[in-house]
Every structure is written in structure tokens, then in C-alpha cells.
Amino acid sequence: MKAIRVSESLYQLADQEASVMHRSTAGQLEFWASIGRKAEKLLDPSVVQALLHAQLADDAGSSSQKNNQKLASLIQQSQAAPESVRFLDASLVKQSLADFSGSDF
């Protein structure tokens, strides 16, 4: 058995679902992972790529909001200069295409 890191939100979701389904939290995460692996094998690769792209866009939006708050705080505390900060526009992330050619996906 190996330890892995998961986000706090995923852990909380798994913990809640595990109690309903009478599984351990680790068991719930393993169950979700096994479903994901099976679904990935059954789905057309273009569908898998579209799902990954949608997840990347969602993650970028969530991450951007948290990072923007952290950066604003650092700027207010004079720990970062405004001109040293670069932002990615969320619409550019959503419009981008992920290229997995040559990868293990």
C-alpha cells in the first residue's frame, strides 16, 4: 500500500460518499478510480480528450481564483510587485486544446 495526496475537497466528497455506501474513504477513492479506468477504456479517445479538457478548464478556473486572491494579498502586503504578476485569461484556457499525441493517455 502507498500513500497519495488528494485535494481536501475530493477527500471530503469521498468521505461523505463512503459513509453512505458503507465503504472506507480509501475504498471509495479506489472504487471511483476503478470506474474511471473502465470508462476510459470504453469511451472513444476523442470523448476522453474532451472530458480531460473540460476538467483542465475547471481546474484552471478554480486555481486561478485562489491564486488571484493569494497574489492580491501579496501585492497588498508589498511582498510582490504588480508588474511581476502574469495572468492567464480563463477564456484562453477554455478555448485551448490539449494535445496528448505521443503521451501515455
Side-chain angles (χ1 to χ4, degrees), residues 12 22-23 33-34 37 43 45 50-51 55 63 67 71 73-74 76 78-79 81 85-88 100 103:
Q12 293 298 326
H22 305 289
R23 295 185 182 107
S34 70
R37 290 183 69 207
L43 293 172
L51 290 169
Q55 184 61 49
S63 178
N67 286 338
L71 288 170
S73 175
L74 291 172
Q76 287 173 346
S78 299
Q79 294 179 356
V85 178
R86 302 289 183 262
F87 293 95
L88 287 177
F100 297 104
S103 69

Side-chain angles (χ1 to χ4, degrees), residues 1-84:
M1 183 182 319
K2 297 212 178 212
I4 62 166
R5 291 182 191 200
V6 296
S7 68
E8 183 66 28
S9 60
L10 177 61
Y11 182 88
Q12 293 298 326
L13 288 170
D15 194 48
Q16 291 170 3
E17 189 70 19
S19 65
V20 172
M21 301 305 292
H22 305 289
R23 295 185 182 107
S24 67
T25 304
Q28 186 63 42
L29 289 165
E30 289 172 358
F31 178 73
W32 284 343
S34 70
I35 289 174
R37 290 183 69 207
K38 291 172 187 170
E40 199 169 41
K41 289 178 183 179
L42 293 173
L43 293 172
D44 182 87
S46 63
V47 174
V48 173
Q49 186 171 2
L51 290 169
L52 287 170
H53 183 262
Q55 184 61 49
L56 288 172
D58 287 348
D59 290 348
S62 174
S63 178
S64 293
Q65 185 176 14
K66 289 177 189 172
N67 286 338
N68 290 350
Q69 291 169 348
K70 184 176 180 181
L71 288 170
S73 175
L74 291 172
I75 291 169
Q76 287 173 346
Q77 298 169 11
S78 299
Q79 294 179 356
E83 60 273 4
S84 69

